[in-house]
């Protein structure tokens, strides 16, 4: 018997030069997936991951296909090694696309090209320097939402809570001046920390609506199927089966807050406590600990971690 699990897929911020080298050496599925992505993109993605500059890897239009490919590669390695299908999936922002590929809702070659475009659309929606993001630690969600509304009302520009990552950890984004004003106001309101993030665009805000319109056009002819495994969506923390509804949610997601805390709560409500982070890094595992201490987090990042996860889910810890 295998314990029911949820597979969760990371978004931007989990990438680093040299990642997945051991998995690439060990698993045919990882090598084949990167080769497939390179063919779709027209450049050697694996060479970039291993030998490129971190700055190049952090460019949004590069980061998105890199992380999607990494997650799909580890998912395929998991299946190649006889890993069991999870009961449910979810992904943080970009990770939602990874989840939908692994649930057979989106084709991989289509998705890797689509997320490269998504990255370009997001990066160019707001001129560099005019948008910003910041992490707010140690203040409740309602206080952050209210403070952002006050800053907007003051005429400083647009700013809103955009990533509800865990209780006490929320990301805000908007016009640079408005984010700066919100940081000052939130510190005054009692935030333990309020830190600007090293990104150049205000993701998941209303300022991303032009990117959403372009993404809708890019997805117009894209084939989407009903997922074979339920995927919890960022916009409303629910699973959907209707392909056209999934198409709408992927567009809305680009300018809507990421409801990650609610997504994890939705998974927990299904009686699941085993969470497998299917991608590089352990960002989501860290958030899990803050959201619900009953959750057990697992990784597939390297061969040893994958084997340990298999054993844990079959009760052979």
């Amino acid at each position: 018997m295998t314990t029911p699990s949820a597979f969760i897929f990371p978004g931007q911020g989990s990438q680093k030069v040299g990642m997945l080298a051991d998995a690439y050496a060990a698993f045919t599925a990882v090598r084949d997936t990167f080769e497939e992505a390179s063919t779709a993109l027209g450049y050697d993605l694996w060479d970039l991951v291993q030998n490129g500059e971190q700055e190049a890897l952090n460019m949004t239009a590069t980061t998105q296909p890199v992380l999607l490919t990494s997650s799909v590669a580890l998912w395929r390695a998991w299946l190649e090694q006889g890993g069991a299908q999870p009961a449910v999936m979810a992904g943080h922002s970009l990770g939602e696309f990874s989840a939908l590929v692994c649930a057979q809702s989106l084709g991989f070659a289509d998705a890797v090209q689509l997320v490269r475009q998504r990255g370009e659309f997001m990066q160019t929606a707001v001129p560099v320097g005019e948008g910003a993001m910041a992490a707010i630690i140690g203040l409740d969600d309602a206080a952050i939402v209210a403070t952002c509304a006050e800053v907007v009302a003051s005429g400083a520009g647009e700013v809103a809570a955009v990533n509800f990552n865990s209780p006490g950890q929320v990301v805000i984004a908007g016009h640079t001046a408005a984010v700066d004003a919100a940081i000052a106001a939130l510190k005054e309101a009692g935030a333990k920390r309020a830190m600007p993030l090293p990104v150049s665009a205000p993701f998941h805000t209303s300022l991303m609506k032009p990117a959403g319109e372009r993404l809708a056009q890019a997805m117009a002819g894209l084939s989407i199927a009903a997922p074979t495994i339920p995927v919890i969506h960022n916009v409303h923390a629910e699973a959907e089966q209707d392909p056209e509804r999934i198409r709408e949610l992927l567009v809305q997601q680009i300018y809507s807050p990421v409801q990650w805390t609610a997504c994890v709560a939705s998974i927990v409500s299904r009686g699941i406590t085993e969470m497998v982070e299917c991608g590089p890094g352990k960002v989501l595992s860290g958030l899990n600990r803050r959201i619900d201490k009953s959750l057990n987090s697992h990784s597939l990042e390297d061969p040893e971690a994958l084997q340990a996860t298999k054993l844990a889910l079959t009760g052979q810890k």
Side-chain angles (χ1 to χ4, degrees), residues 142-198:
I144 295 169
V145 170
T147 301
C148 287
E150 288 167 11
V151 171
V152 172
S154 76
E158 288 295 320
V159 62
V162 295
N163 289 359
F164 294 92
N165 285 334
S166 67
Q169 184 183 328
V170 173
V171 174
I172 64 169
H175 289 116
T176 303
V179 171
D180 290 343
I183 286 173
L186 289 162
K187 283 180 177 174
E188 203 171 294
K192 289 179 184 171
R193 295 167 77 190
M195 307 165 294
L197 296 175

Side-chain angles (χ1 to χ4, degrees), residues 12-209:
Q12 289 186 212
S14 292
Q15 70 281 357
K16 65 179 180 181
V17 173
M19 66 187 187
L20 302 193
D22 290 344
Y24 187 92
F27 301 128
T28 305
V30 174
R31 297 191 292 275
D32 288 349
T33 302
F34 271 90
E35 188 174 326
E36 189 180 342
S38 297
T39 300
L41 295 167
Y43 64 89
D44 190 335
L45 193 65
W46 182 249
D47 182 63
L48 175 68
V49 169
Q50 295 306 300
N51 304 311
E53 297 292 327
Q54 186 68 40
E55 195 175 325
L57 207 58
N58 289 348
M59 290 173 60
T60 300
T62 305
T63 307
Q64 299 205 20
V66 161
L67 286 173
L68 181 131
T69 301
S70 298
S71 287
V72 172
L74 292 175
W75 165 252
R76 290 174 172 178
W78 171 255
L79 297 181
E80 182 181 76
Q81 296 301 306
Q85 298 263 347
V88 65
M89 293 176 164
H92 190 289
S93 189
L94 162 77
E96 191 168 298
F97 288 81
S98 305
L100 287 165
V101 171
C102 296
Q104 299 179 48
S105 181
L106 296 176
F108 175 57
D110 285 342
V112 81
Q113 294 175 75
L114 181 68
V115 298
R116 174 174 62 179
Q117 291 178 291
R118 179 179 183 265
E120 290 167 355
F121 300 157
M122 292 169 78
Q123 193 62 64
T124 57
V126 177
V128 174
E130 290 187 17
M133 301 182 77
I136 313 302
I137 310 295
L139 200 61
D140 69 77
D141 295 358
I144 295 169
V145 170
T147 301
C148 287
E150 288 167 11
V151 171
V152 172
S154 76
E158 288 295 320
V159 62
V162 295
N163 289 359
F164 294 92
N165 285 334
S166 67
Q169 184 183 328
V170 173
V171 174
I172 64 169
H175 289 116
T176 303
V179 171
D180 290 343
I183 286 173
L186 289 162
K187 283 180 177 174
E188 203 171 294
K192 289 179 184 171
R193 295 167 77 190
M195 307 165 294
L197 296 175
V199 297
S200 54
F203 303 139
H204 299 293
T205 67
S206 60
L207 302 176
M208 287 285 119
K209 286 212 167 167

Side-chain angles (χ1 to χ4, degrees), residues 245-267:
R245 180 63 178 142
I246 291 169
R247 193 187 307 272
E248 290 169 8
L249 287 168
L250 289 176
V251 171
Q252 287 176 27
Q253 190 227 59
I254 214 168
Y255 54 78
S256 302
V258 174
Q259 302 287 352
W260 187 250
T261 302
C263 288
V264 173
S266 178
I267 291 168

